[in-house]
Amino acid sequence: MSAFFSSLPLSVQTFGLLVLSNLFMTFAWYGHLKHQAAKPWLVAALVSWGIALFEYLLQVPANRIGYSGGYSLAQLKIAQEVITLAVFVPFAVFYMGQPLKLDYLWAGLCLIGAVYFIFRA
């Protein structure tokens, strides 16, 4: 598995791990809201911390791989924000049952602008 992973392009390693870490973090931060009446907040916090551990086990190597591979700190942060929105919107709509809003599109377009400015030569 390690040989396969290290043979992937740097961008796939970096951004693939960031996508996976964001899936964990989105559930850690917001997943407990779906059943908030069922458990006290302390239980939700402890479960969220447990989920967040897996997020950090993916996010820290992703940023280290990307940074050592030539991505700037700003590029990694902007990419993280784009990935966050790309993960959050399906989570909100499909898992949490929230309506799809046009505001998600506008926010996404703003982030595309941020990506353009931070990644341009």
Side-chain angles (χ1 to χ4, degrees), residues 42-113:
L42 184 58
V43 171
L46 293 173
V47 170
S48 291
W49 284 345
I51 295 169
L53 170 65
F54 293 102
E55 187 270 342
Y56 282 108
L57 292 173
L58 296 168
Q59 180 266 340
V60 170
N63 283 325
R64 291 173 66 98
I65 291 166
Y67 192 72
S68 67
Y71 290 108
S72 72
L73 185 63
Q75 288 173 326
L76 290 168
K77 181 59 182 170
I78 294 298
Q80 178 67 33
E81 296 305 324
V82 171
I83 291 167
T84 297
L85 187 61
V87 168
F88 178 77
V89 171
F91 170 84
V93 172
F94 297 114
Y95 183 75
M96 296 296 291
Q98 299 291 306
L100 184 61
K101 296 183 176 189
L102 198 53
D103 290 344
Y104 296 149
L105 173 64
W106 305 135
L109 290 174
C110 289
L111 287 172
I112 289 170

Side-chain angles (χ1 to χ4, degrees), residues 23-48:
L23 287 168
F24 280 103
M25 203 60 190
T26 300
F27 275 94
W29 284 1
Y30 305 110
H32 60 88
L33 297 176
K34 188 169 184 172
H35 306 288
Q36 67 179 334
K39 301 285 183 200
W41 77 266
L42 184 58
V43 171
L46 293 173
V47 170
S48 291

